Amino acid sequence: ARGAGGGEEPFYLDADTLTHEAAGDTVEASGNVRIRGRGMTLLSDRAFLFGDKEEAEARGNVILMRDGDTLRADRIRLNYRTDTGVVENGAAFMPKGNFHLRAQQMEKRGPDAYRLERGVFTTCDGDNPSWKFSASEIDVNAEGYATGKNALFYVKDVPLLYFPYLIYPVKRERQSGLLTPRTGNSSKKGFMVDLAYYWAISPSQDATFNLDILTKRGTGLGVDYRYIRKRGSEGNLRGFVIYDTEQQRFRGDLSQRHQEIVSDTFNLKSDINLVADRNFYRDYAEESGVYNQSQLETTLSATKYFDRHILSGEFRYVQDLREEVPDNRKTLQKLPTITLTGIRQRLWETPVFFSFDSNFINFYRREGIKGQRLDLSPVLTGYAKPFGPLEAAAWVGYRQRLYYAHGVESGEGIRGSGLFSAGTSLSSTLSRVFETASPTMPRVRHVMIPEIRYNYVQDRDQESLPFFDYNDRIVHENRVVYSLTNYVTGRFDRGDEPPEYRDLLYLRIAQGYEFSGTRRDLLTLVDEKRHFTDVQVEAAVHPHRLVSLSTDLRYNPYRTVLSTVAVSADARDEKGNAAGITYRHARDEVEYLEAKASLALFSPVFATYANRYSFDRKGTLESFYSLEYRHQCWSVSFSYRDRPDTNEFFVTFALAGIGSVGKIRAF
Amino acid sequence: GPLPASRGGQPITVKSNELSTDSRSRTATFSGKVTARQGDLTIYSDRLVIHYREDGGDVEKVEAVGNVKIVQGDRLATAREGVYYNTEQKIVLSGEPKVYQGENMISGKVITYFVNEERSIVTGGGDSRVEAVIHPKDKGKNGGTKR
Amino acid sequence: CGYRAARIGGEGSALADKTVHVDIFTNKSYRPNVEAVLTNSLIDEFVRREGSRAVEAGGDLTLSGAVVSYGTAAVSYTATDTVKEYRATVTVEATLRRSDSGQVLWKGSLSAYQDFPANDDLVLQQNSEEQAIAVICRRLARELTLRMSENF
């Protein structure tokens, strides 16, 4: 029966015997004592509650459980007002991260804060952990960081490494690439040893240093420095440098990212990616998409937000890394691009909205055409809902481009060109909800969006203009596009939680008819530019939460054949089995297949196989095999990657809760 | 806080429906809605037997049986049987005894309460454990007990 | 035939016939201007579906959010293992609130992608990338407004 004054939550105690003394309001309980209350459970042989001092003491086989964490000790003396106290011979376990903490003397300094003398921590279960850290003084703070002084790293009972100062994210998922050596052999780099040393400077900064010993290439040093600053500003700096013994020169790359939130309306960003020589990635990078990247971009940008306008400036420097290109002299750079966008705004009380896009670009390249272009395109758009679900819109725009170019065959000096564009669209967004017999998914909604869109762009001769990019050769359009888009969404009831809505099907079918004018579809590799465009079908199906199929194809109605098709299917289960396949074909352009499967063979052993096949080559571009043994608190993986010009074998160790150095990612 | 004056000598007044005495066994038996009071201590029960000492009319012990209820200040005890030993100033409660104090509650198999020392010992036994509900006193609030 | 116009918040719900103020979205990605294209697409989607007075500065509801990430990745390769097609992916998060009380009516995140071809002339490839971003933003705008009307 809760008394009126029961503001404080009570403790429920049971024991074999109990003595209560009014003086000092003390209670002594002994014999299988159990105290429950305030989200905590305390078990011990004996326990004392000192009411006036608001302290409790438990002695003998003490177990304190509180929101998942468990603390075992010989003795705990706790002030339940300030949640501080002393723990003798304590062993704490935090299930999130499977984190174990043991110490002769432990001081509890708050709800989640401990100070340990001569403490040990590890993520291995059991009494003799495979690895552990010991430290003379460990502080675990409320933000979920454990910091240790004079720390030693043990494998079994052998001390291997010393850290003057160490920080370990206890409750954070942030992986720290600590001490996880990687060895292997590569046809291009020789025998390899990759050592990582993780140094945490402070909770908002940390750095990982890599030492890569490559018998065919020399010794490389890598650094990955991450930092967070006030107001959400953050960034990282990653670099690698090596004196390449085979090519007798220094090689490496550098990438730096930074976001500076100067104020709510102004921020600066840098995304710098530079490489010392053009073939560096082909010789040193491992994953596809990196070793065969054909360009590297560096951008420095600033954005200023006004009430209904956005002004952004961007310096973008691009390095063309394709093998057939000798150097970067002919690559056109945009130094800078200044863009001012007017966000769509209603004109007084009319149904007409005004918006505009404008940009100024200074084109530069060492050899060949240089110059500036100003591009303004205001648009007026009128909206109407004639009746019921019908949605109508019409727009008219004028596009004015001004040039100042030099060093060109045509279009020298100041030029200008303006042209009109207009269009209209008629659409409707119809939805209907269907009841289903299934209890878990009682309702399904089908949304159907039919749309007809007509677009006209004036035909203007632009041969006298310089040619930087396609914005200098705007094609005449006189085209209608008709499309039908479908969304089928299921409502999944989850007991008392709010229902979850999940897309079951997305299907879009579209085709266009070009009355006159050429056509330039920037999003496809195959377009015969006939009056009827290809029929484009985009679909994504999620028959089950863990299965997804998607396709994007274009059908040529004249030749009754597929111009392009992209099909992919993915499925996985909860036990770590997963498979995915993607096939892409664009007639006479590319035909490529990528497949990936990972099997949880017999639980601690996981196998992954991946393959990239080029039909154009009639051969495999790359195949990847990996076998991983996942022990409770550490794992080792053996991976082999095979490519026509190189093959690499790696052995990677990882400590659970602590990331591995080179994350094994197929591609 | 200071202990109250020793209570041994205070008079005990008793009220009930009927009274019968037996000089040979030196007992007086009250029955029917009995209330016995000594200073701030009051005992209610269905039947109350007072045992007198041989050497002069002093009370040696008081036995309360049936719906026993004992009240002292804000402390209340209930049990099926309670024996009050006057000289040792202790009360032994048995038969699902419970002691309430403000919102706190303690129960067990046998509760022995030392009136002068305001100390109680609760013992479990067999399958019945000692159980208590304890509200930690908020420093400022008046917890209702004498400090 | 049972099909009715899909309204924000669905028929007869607290959101029907409400006006919306579409805040300029912020941009947490390293690609400038994506938020401008997305904000314009969102306003176009709202006005086309709910009528021209649906969007106004001091609207009953406020839609705000951020472009969380923008990235491109290779999706197909030639016989010589050079990239032939890229996939641009934009991820956004958005929140619909009651302007007066700030009460959150809907909150969620969404991502969409569009493939575009590689090009030997990198500036022309950037034209394709910009076109891909415009298509992605139109699709995100439509799907965000459909998600907000999901309380069937």
Side-chain angles (χ1 to χ4, degrees), chain A residues 3 5-6 10-22 31-32 38 49 52 54 80, chain B residues 101 103 106 118-124 129-139 141 147:
Chain A
F11 290 109
Y12 298 89
L13 180 147
D14 53 85
D16 291 346
T17 61
L18 181 142
T19 310
H20 171 256
E21 256 167 64
N32 300 320
R38 301 194 182 171
L49 267 175
D52 51 2
E54 298 188 303
Y80 48 75
Chain B
Q101 178 175 356
E103 296 143 312
I106 303 176
E118 287 193 10
R119 187 162 63 89
S120 49
I121 298 177
V122 186
T123 54
R129 299 258 291 163
V130 171
E131 282 164 13
V133 176
I134 297 157
H135 285 266
K137 302 300 171 295
D138 208 342
K139 261 283 181 268
K141 225 165 39 170
R147 279 283 177 275

Side-chain angles (χ1 to χ4, degrees), chain A residues 259-270:
Chain A
Q259 290 203 17
E260 188 60 28
I261 316 287
V262 178
S263 75
D264 289 345
T265 61
F266 183 59
N267 60 54
L268 301 166
K269 288 177 189 164
S270 73

